[in-house]
Structures are given as structure tokens and as C-alpha cells.
Amino acid sequence: MRLDIWLWAARFFKTRALSKQAIETGKVEIGGQRANKPARAVRVGDALRVERGEETFHIEVVGLSDVRGPAKVAQTLYLETDESRQQRLEQLARLRAERAGYRPPEQKPDKRARRLIRALGDIDAS
């Protein structure tokens, strides 16, 4: 079975074009080696590393499907390692904590603050 179709059916990417692009840019590895072609064969028992955005999945292929079904069915096509799952959850918690620290201003900047913002923006120009 083709790798790009399997990634699409397992719901790692929304479209086959996105899965193909991820394979060609080196974001997918099979057995520790970069998968260069979207047509690369996937077999049951293969170990994959898939990078999607800031997430990295270390999975083992358990089933094959060329049909994109519901998410519950797609999750039965692979097993994610406990270590990978824990790393993803820790990273997600860290990103949420970083976002929680930012608070947008409650009101528009006044005249003095706008001048300071403009002055800071001009630093790169000089």
C-alpha cells in the first residue's frame, strides 16, 4: 500500500496532497530512513516517525486501509509508543502554558504609547 494514501487514511493529514508534501520534505521516516517517495510501500509492522506541525509521532503500523473512515477506525490502523505520547502531551502542556502568559492589552494604546511603538519599529530602519 502507498505511504501517502495510508497517512491520509490514518488521518495524519487532511489531504493526500499534504501527506505527499510531508513525505517529499522529509517529515516522514520508515524504520529510521527518510521516505523519499509517496509511493513507498507500507506494511504491517513498519515503524514510522511522522512530524506534523510541532508534533512528532512514533508509531507502528497495525492495519492497512486505503479508505478514509471515521477517526475511531483510523486510530486502529496504528499504535503510538507510550514515550511518544508522553512527549507530545508534555509539549502541548508547555505550549499552552506559554500562551497563558500572554495577555492582550485591554484598551487601545494612548498617544505616548503609540509614539513608543513607532520608535521601536524604526530601530531596524536606521
Side-chain angles (χ1 to χ4, degrees):
M1 149 153 266
R2 287 176 59 113
L3 178 59
D4 62 337
I5 294 175
W6 187 86
L7 289 170
W8 168 74
R11 293 183 165 258
F12 281 100
F13 300 99
K14 281 188 175 184
T15 63
R16 278 187 58 198
L18 289 174
S19 65
K20 179 180 175 185
Q21 181 182 16
I23 294 166
E24 290 173 345
T25 56
K27 301 205 183 308
V28 179
E29 291 181 2
I30 298 179
Q33 294 182 345
R34 181 178 167 185
N36 293 330
K37 296 181 180 179
R40 169 94 187 251
V42 176
R43 295 176 182 84
V44 174
D46 283 348
L48 299 177
R49 185 183 66 79
V50 180
E51 291 181 28
R52 184 181 67 189
E54 295 183 6
E55 296 178 311
T56 302
F57 297 88
H58 293 277
I59 59 172
E60 180 183 346
V61 177
V62 178
L64 300 175
S65 175
D66 58 352
V67 179
R68 186 177 170 99
K72 292 285 184 185
V73 175
Q75 290 173 352
T76 62
L77 298 177
Y78 61 91
L79 286 175
E80 184 177 9
T81 62
D82 293 331
E83 185 179 298
S84 170
R85 184 177 294 115
Q86 184 156 359
Q87 285 177 352
R88 279 191 316 105
L89 292 176
E90 287 173 2
Q91 183 178 13
L92 185 63
R94 186 173 23 86
L95 288 173
R96 284 183 179 159
E98 288 174 0
R99 269 188 251 130
Y102 172 74
R103 291 201 174 78
E106 294 182 14
Q107 58 190 15
K108 291 170 60 173
D110 60 356
K111 187 174 186 177
R112 181 173 174 267
R114 283 195 304 271
R115 284 183 180 158
L116 288 171
I117 291 169
R118 239 181 269 123
L120 288 175
D122 289 341
I123 291 174
D124 295 334
S126 57

